[in-house]
Structure formats: structure tokens, C-alpha cells
Amino acid sequence: MTASAVLVRADEAKRTRRRGGIVPPWWFAVPAVLVYAVVVLYPSIAGAGSAFTDWSGVGSARTFVGAANFKQLVHDDQALGALRNTLLLTVAIVVIQNAIGLLLALGVHTRIRSRMILRMVFFAPVVVSPVMVSFLWKFVYNPAPDSGLNAALGAVGLGGLRQDWLGNPSLALWSVAFTVIWQCAGYSMVIFLAGLEGVPAELHESAMVDGAGTVARFRHITWPLLAPAVTINVMLSTVGGLTLFTQIIAMTNGGPGYATDTLSTVLYKQAFVYGKFGYSTAIALVLAIFVAAVTFLQIGYLRSRETTV
Amino acid sequence: MALDRSVSRRRLLQLAGGATVATALGGALAACGGSSGTSSSGTLKVIGVGDQEPGLRKVLDSYKSAHSGFDFNLSFAPADQVQTALRTQLGGGNAPDVHVVYPGSGSAMSMVQLSKAGLLADLSSQSWTQKVPDGFKGAFQNDGKTYIFSPGSSMLGAIYNKKAFATAGVEPPTTWSELLAVCEKLKKKGIVPIALGAQTPWITQLIPYALVPGTVYAKTPDFDDKMSAGQASFADSGWVDAMNKYLELQKKGYFNDNPNGTTYEQATSMVGTGKAAMAVQVSAVLSAFRAAAPSPDDLSMFPFPATDVAADNWIPAGVVVGIAVSAKSKKSDQAKSFLEYCGQQDNLNAWAEAVSCVPLYGDAKVDAALTSFLPLLKANKAVPFMDQRWPNAEVQPTHFAVVQQLLGGKTTVQDALKKLDDAYKKSA
């Protein structure tokens, strides 16, 4: 009798579980889609429309000017210089940030006791506001010989290497890049760590049994299996680099002169400093299309490199 | 079994997404902490720019004392950021009741630009508008209507440290040659002759503004009219001489090291403490320099000489940044009442004194540091700050940028001025 009762209850439980598996209808997504459409899609499309006008950003006067804004962009020395800076920054950031992130990930993906603390330390800059990081680094880059980085160089006998890190037009762009890399390398590290956690330990063990050294194991096991993490990291840092804005405005405002202007800072200035909202939106449209194109090409290539176990 | 332990792309994205959310939350929390409450019913919302603070706060407090039931919510933005946050609010229909507006037409937040867009209330019926001197009307009016209030005109010259001058045994110079001699003596004493914080964009323009009245306007008082008529240009005028003199000061080592890497705050501190002897500045920031000095009496001002003919050394005297009433303010009457109060002589004088400028009208006590400028004002040898007559918002930022390029050795005077001319020709 007791055994039968247990069997009956188990059977009921099975039926209950099956009923709970009903797939929710597609229209459950409608509220979220509506919010997204109203808050994101409509403003973006309406904004894109102003790329074909001479709107000043305040007031209602707008005149349709067709492709004039885009023609101006092709001849705008400031915008073209900013494009060059944007590309240089992006390449530097993508390569160096991800290289450092990978090294950090490999370093803290070991059995050393302090690995949890080190992970926290390396990731900490990521959660600080980019504006605060920029102001902090502005002090570090103070050109006075007794301040910040210049003081540190002096203290270790390298006074000859002191620089006007943000005031030298040839150097300012790389100073900004360094700050961005410092802040964001921890982010790459976290993603690489997640990738490393997914590499089966058995593969390493069998490779060691077969006599493979550390470098060979990295090259033939770890690196191929990290491909998804590489894809994500390269894509995120590329998009971040192409749209870099906050650190530049906070540290150099695009200066000295135009030395650190990026497309993002130029479109911002055109809108809010020059009062050329239409032209600014044209730049934004071009930048968005460019970022999308680069991202698609990049994802397409990188995905073809991914393998599965 | 091994397959179960691999991380799929989807799971990796989830992990990355988690980190992103954490980052976003951090940012959101920081943003929440920094925001202020919205304007409550009956409270006038006022946004000014940093250098207005001493005067504007004084008059608002005074007005509050005189009017029970009146209250205000006052905040300030740094000069370089006023054009972003505030302009966005204006464009979005969220304008504060009273806000900072620059005189004339030369920036995106200038009186002409905003009034053309229908964003400023007409103040012409207020009694103080009848007292604006003719020479300054262009800074206050568009199409004959008055749109901003400003307490007066700021002098532009050298704010200097008297002790540093005494140490080098020099007196304020009255000609360019004397200036160079003074700088040389200061330099020999180990004192930085001129502190220049050119990393802060608006600082870059001050030396050209100080020199150009002498190299351009003294001989061609109607230069601005000629410019707007297309009969004159930067590249073919005394601007060349002014820019060359700017570079001469740099080449002779009369600026602090690394001017492009030095901020306004650092330069202010250098003059206040006597590490540097002077800085070319507007008198509106004299209070900031005094705050950086051991004693306020350590500092004074003199007109910065541009030529070797003392009589040709005109001065720039710009109307200081003002305030306006938003055309869409729901508290328009209250805001206008406040501006009417600002225009009363006592309050005008109080504000002008607080920001070390010469009152717009009426005879009032002027800061002792400005006494050497007054004869030039009376002799009609003062011209408005150059940007106040420029036709669009692009010339001034271009000026900032080309000065930084010149200081950084990345351009020439002719190329720099050509860029200014190109910017001038663009539509508003």
C-alpha cells in the first residue's frame, strides 16, 4: 500500500512537470519591443533624418540640404584628421589591450594563492567612471617635473624621459591610448578568464603525458579554444576604440589643437560647440555605418577561426 | 563528457553581459549620486557659468532677502561645458528659468544665436535697458531688442604679482619693448614671466585678444565691419603681428614650460604664489587669482602693451558673460522681476564689484586693480572682445585650436590665420 502511494505521487509529479513546459506565446515580447522601438529606434531614425538638414540643435528652423553635409565631410580637414586619429587609437587599443588582457588572464589562471585578489585588482579600474579615471590620469600626466609620472621618472634617475604627456601634440594621442588600455585591460582579462575556464583540463593532462611543454600547449590547445573569447574581446575593443569619446574630452578636449580629436569628439563639437547639429548627425551616421561594417567583417573572419571540442 | 565542460559562445556572452551590467550599474549609481533635485514649485531655477558665481550668488541672496517667498536653485557649469549640458537642455525644451548667455554673436550659447532660435525672453521693456551705453548695445541686442543682462565690462590685461615684480626690480611696462625687457629681468631672477595655461581652451585666446586692439584696431577701428563686408581678413591684418608676438614670447622662454600641458588652475596658482609674475587674463577672474595668493593685495592689473607706440596700445574690454530669461519659462514674471532687480544701480554695482568689472552704467567704485584701464575706456580706446563680433560659433574654437597648434610647433601663423578666415566665412 505504501509503495503504491509513492508511485502514484511520483506519477502526478511527472504530469505536473510536463504541463509546466508550455512555451509562452510570442506576443509576450510585445511590451519590451514597443519600449525599445519608442526609446531607441524612433529617436535614432528621426535623428538620422537631421543628417540631411542644416539644423542648429536649438529652435525649429531646419532646411533640407540633401547630401551637402556628407560632401562637406569628405573635404573637412578636421574630420579627416579625426578619422586618422580614431583608426590609430583603435588599432593600438585593440592590439595592446587584448595582449595585456590575455597575459593577465594567463597569469591569474593559476593556482597561486593571491589569484582572487589579483583578479579584483586588475578588474577594479573597469568599474571606475571613465571621467574619474581621466581626471586622475590628467594629474599623473602633469608636465611639472615634480608631479605625477614625471616625478616618478625623476625619482628613479630617468629624468631625461620626462614629457609633456598631454601638451605635446605628437605624444598626447598615445598618452590617451595608454590610459584607455590601463582602464580596459581588466575587462579583456575577465573575458579571457572565462574562456580559459572552458578549456578542458583533460586535454592539457593528455598533452602533458605526451610530453608537450607550456608553449606548445598554449599554441595548440589553449589558443584555438580561446577563439570565442578572442572574437568577443576584439569586437568589443574595436567598437570601444572607434567610438572613444569620454577619456578624450576629459583629458585633452581633442587638443592640443586637433591632435587628439576623434570622430566622436568632432561630431560632439559640431553639435554643441559649433551649433551644426545636422552636420554632426551626418558624421554620426557615417561613424555608425563604419562601425557596423567593421564589426560584421571582423565577426565573419573571427568566427571562421573558432573550433569546438 | 568533455563537451559538457566547454564554454559555448552564448554562455561567454552571458558572462560578458554580466560584467557589462556591473559596469553600467556602477556608472548609473555614480550618475544618481551627482544629480540634483528638480526645481520645485515656486523656486527659480538658475544656471550660471563658473566665473559668474561671486556676483550672481550675491545678487540672488540679496533678492531673496528682499522678497519673502522667493527661493532659487542655483548651479554652475565650467565655461568649457556650458555649451553642452545647457544647450542640450535648451534644445530639449528643459531650459532653466534663468541661465547664462554670452554677449554678442560669437559662440553657440551667445545672445544672437539663442534669440534667433526664439529661446530668450524679450527684456526691452525693463528700465535698465535704456541705460546700456551705445558702444555695448551690440552685445545685448539683436534686431533692436534686448535679450540679456550683464553687470558690466571686464578688462583684459595682465594680472600681475606685485612682489614678483618688486623682486626683479621692474614696473608695469607701457610698450612692447618695455614688456620684453621686464620679462627678461624676471626670467633672470628665476621667475616665470608669464604663466600660460593653454591646455584650458579659452585661455589660448587671451594673449591675441590683448595684443590685437593695438596691432589692428588702433589703426582700423572699423575692422570688424570690414571683416563682415569681406574687405578685410585675419591673414592680411595686424593679427599676423599679434600672433608673431605671441610666438616671440614663447621662443624667448617667457612662458612656463609646457604651456599646452598646463591648466588655467595651475597658471592661476603660479601667479598667486609668485612662481610666475603675471598672466594675461580677464579681470572677472581676479578673485580667483586673489584666492590663490597669500594676500589679495599682492595682485593688481595693467594693460598688456602690444606696440612700441604707447598711444596705440588700446585695450580689450568685453561685456562680461550675462544672464537671460528662458522664453519658455513658466516663471517668466518672477525671473524678469529678478533681472529688473539686477539692473538697479546698487545691485549692478555689487555684482560688478564681485567680479572685478567696470559697472555697465552709473558712476561707481571700481576695483583698485583696474584704475590703469579707466583712462583708456574714457578715451574710447577700448574694443569688445573679438569673438563678440564674430558671425558664427566656429571661429572661436578654431582660434583655440590653432593657438595650441602654434604653441606645439604644428602650424605657422599664416596657416593658422587662414584657418580662422575659413571658419569666419562659414554660415552661422
Side-chain angles (χ1 to χ4, degrees):
Chain A
M1 182 54 132
T2 304
S4 297
V6 168
L7 283 174
V8 169
R9 282 198 292 276
D11 207 30
E12 285 171 355
K14 269 188 191 173
R15 281 197 293 274
T16 303
R17 262 186 252 112
R18 242 182 268 114
R19 281 200 296 275
I22 292 172
V23 176
W26 62 269
W27 41 262
F28 271 32
V30 169
V33 171
L34 280 180
V35 170
Y36 179 77
V38 169
V39 175
V40 178
L41 289 183
Y42 171 71
S44 296
I45 293 168
S50 64
F52 301 91
T53 72
D54 64 352
W55 190 37
S56 68
V58 294
S60 54
R62 303 187 200 202
T63 306
F64 182 74
V65 296
N69 285 334
F70 298 93
K71 285 177 191 165
Q72 181 186 344
L73 178 53
V74 174
H75 300 291
D76 184 347
D77 285 350
Q78 192 184 348
L80 296 182
L83 173 61
R84 175 180 165 277
N85 287 344
T86 301
L87 295 176
L88 286 175
L89 266 175
T90 301
V91 171
I93 288 170
V94 169
V95 173
I96 300 173
Q97 175 185 316
N98 287 310
I100 292 175
L102 179 57
L103 288 173
L104 293 176
L106 291 171
V108 299
H109 182 64
T110 61
R111 296 186 185 281
I112 56 175
R113 279 188 187 160
S114 57
R115 69 181 181 282
M116 292 310 292
I117 293 174
L118 287 175
R119 290 179 184 186
M120 285 174 57
V121 167
F122 293 135
F123 189 72
V126 179
V127 301
V128 179
S129 157
V131 174
M132 288 177 63
V133 167
S134 301
F135 285 153
L136 182 150
W137 276 89
K138 204 167 172 177
F139 282 107
V140 172
Y141 288 140
N142 186 330
D146 55 354
S147 294
L149 182 51
N150 283 347
L153 289 170
V156 296
L158 297 172
L161 295 180
R162 288 179 176 132
Q163 300 289 337
D164 185 358
W165 304 100
L166 294 176
N168 179 339
S170 304
L171 191 58
L173 191 66
W174 309 118
S175 301
V176 171
F178 187 90
T179 299
V180 173
I181 290 164
W182 175 84
Q183 171 159 40
C184 299
Y187 192 83
S188 297
M189 176 196 78
V190 165
I191 293 173
F192 279 127
L193 263 179
L196 289 174
E197 298 287 347
V199 177
E202 290 83 356
L203 295 189
H204 282 291
E205 286 161 4
S206 68
M208 279 189 278
V209 168
D210 290 342
T214 302
V215 172
R217 278 188 281 121
F218 175 80
R219 187 169 159 216
H220 296 292
I221 297 173
T222 307
W223 179 247
L225 292 177
L226 274 182
V230 171
T231 301
I232 299 300
N233 268 328
V234 169
M235 183 199 70
L236 289 177
S237 52
T238 298
V239 172
L242 290 173
T243 59
L244 191 68
F245 174 78
T246 307
Q247 288 89 336
I248 293 184
I249 287 291
M251 276 194 280
T252 62
N253 200 44
Y258 304 103
T260 58
D261 263 331
T262 60
L263 284 178
S264 294
T265 63
V266 167
L267 76 89
Y268 158 93
K269 290 179 180 179
Q270 290 291 344
F272 296 111
V273 177
Y274 297 0
K276 299 287 177 60
F277 220 89
Y279 182 47
S280 166
T281 309
I283 298 174
L285 200 55
V286 169
L287 178 58
I289 291 170
F290 182 66
V291 171
V294 169
T295 302
F296 277 120
L297 290 174
Q298 204 173 52
I299 293 280
Y301 168 73
L302 290 169
R303 272 190 181 174
S304 67
R305 298 176 55 250
E306 292 180 6
T307 61
T308 53
V309 177
Chain B
M1 176 57 81
L3 283 169
D4 293 336
R5 303 183 58 171
S6 68
V7 176
S8 68
R9 187 181 310 107
R10 187 168 118 220
R11 177 149 181 257
L12 195 60
L13 280 170
Q14 288 170 344
L15 291 169
T20 302
V21 169
T23 303
L25 278 176
L29 289 170
C32 291
S35 71
S36 59
T38 54
S39 184
S40 61
S41 171
T43 302
L44 201 66
K45 187 172 182 187
V46 185
I47 293 185
V49 69
D51 27 310
Q52 284 181 308
E53 180 161 14
L56 181 52
R57 190 178 291 283
K58 181 179 281 190
V59 180
L60 273 166
D61 285 337
S62 169
Y63 186 74
K64 183 178 175 180
S65 298
H67 297 75
S68 61
F70 171 82
D71 204 351
F72 60 90
N73 175 339
L74 174 63
S75 60
F76 292 98
D80 290 324
Q81 291 165 35
V82 154
Q83 307 196 100
T84 58
L86 188 45
R87 189 174 162 88
T88 304
Q89 291 179 46
L90 294 176
N94 302 316
D97 304 300
V98 174
H99 60 82
V100 49
V101 176
Y102 288 90
S105 58
S107 86
M109 281 296 289
S110 62
M111 180 273 302
V112 169
Q113 310 264 351
L114 296 186
S115 61
K116 273 182 186 175
L119 297 173
L120 304 181
D122 183 358
L123 304 170
S124 304
S125 61
Q126 302 209 336
S127 56
W128 59 267
T129 63
Q130 311 309 312
K131 304 181 205 172
V132 176
D134 282 347
F136 285 143
K137 278 195 159 74
F140 287 79
Q141 294 177 0
N142 186 38
D143 288 339
K145 295 176 182 173
T146 299
Y147 289 103
I148 64 164
F149 169 84
S150 167
S153 56
S154 186
M155 305 297 107
L156 198 165
I159 292 179
Y160 73 105
N161 186 305
K162 292 178 192 170
K163 286 180 179 172
F165 268 50
T167 298
V170 295
E171 291 291 325
T174 57
T175 65
W176 176 255
S177 296
E178 285 177 14
L179 173 70
L180 295 181
V182 164
C183 288
E184 189 61 29
K185 286 179 180 172
L186 287 161
K187 191 182 174 189
K188 285 196 163 81
K189 285 287 184 178
I191 300 169
V192 173
I194 302 171
L196 178 62
Q199 184 178 78
T200 303
W202 64 273
I203 298 295
T204 58
Q205 69 192 332
L206 299 175
I207 287 177
Y209 281 15
L211 297 175
V212 157
T215 64
V216 176
Y217 291 85
K219 292 180 172 62
T220 315
D222 59 345
F223 179 75
D224 289 320
D225 297 324
K226 287 192 158 108
M227 283 281 290
S228 60
Q231 296 161 5
S233 67
F234 292 108
D236 190 26
S237 73
W239 272 86
V240 177
D241 187 27
M243 290 306 210
N244 282 325
K245 282 171 165 162
Y246 202 163
L247 291 183
E248 184 179 357
L249 293 174
Q250 185 191 30
K251 288 187 173 78
K252 288 186 149 83
Y254 296 158
F255 294 143
N256 46 288
D257 291 336
N258 306 314
N260 272 345
T262 304
T263 64
Y264 157 65
E265 290 78 12
Q266 289 162 355
T268 303
S269 174
M270 290 169 73
V271 176
T273 58
K275 280 179 67 178
M278 63 182 127
V280 177
Q281 266 295 355
V282 289
S283 62
V285 299
L286 194 46
S287 58
F289 278 73
R290 284 171 165 153
S295 161
D297 290 332
D298 288 348
L299 301 173
S300 189
M301 284 188 78
F302 64 87
F304 197 71
T307 75
D308 280 328
V309 181
D312 277 353
N313 289 333
W314 286 26
I315 57 166
V319 171
V320 301
V321 60
I323 53 174
V325 175
S326 170
K328 295 166 185 171
S329 171
K330 294 181 175 65
K331 307 183 193 78
S332 184
D333 290 345
Q334 201 176 3
K336 285 179 175 176
S337 174
F338 170 65
L339 262 70
E340 183 73 66
Y341 181 83
C342 291
Q344 290 168 19
Q345 190 71 60
D346 284 351
N347 303 319
L348 180 88
N349 292 350
W351 187 335
E353 183 182 5
V355 296
S356 301
C357 71
V358 177
L360 189 63
Y361 45 77
D363 285 321
K365 180 186 74 174
V366 171
D367 196 310
L370 305 182
T371 51
S372 55
F373 293 85
L374 298 180
L376 293 158
L377 268 180
K378 281 166 183 156
N380 211 25
K381 292 188 173 182
V383 297
F385 292 160
M386 286 75 232
D387 59 282
Q388 292 177 2
R389 290 292 305 274
W390 289 338
N392 62 53
E394 191 155 340
V395 186
Q396 188 185 35
T398 302
H399 185 206
F400 297 164
V402 298
V403 168
Q404 286 180 339
Q405 288 185 308
L406 282 166
L407 293 171
K410 292 295 185 179
T411 190
T412 64
V413 167
Q414 273 301 322
D415 285 346
L417 294 177
K418 182 180 180 299
K419 255 183 175 135
L420 284 188
D421 282 323
D422 290 343
Y424 191 95
K425 288 165 188 158
K426 292 187 179 179
S427 60

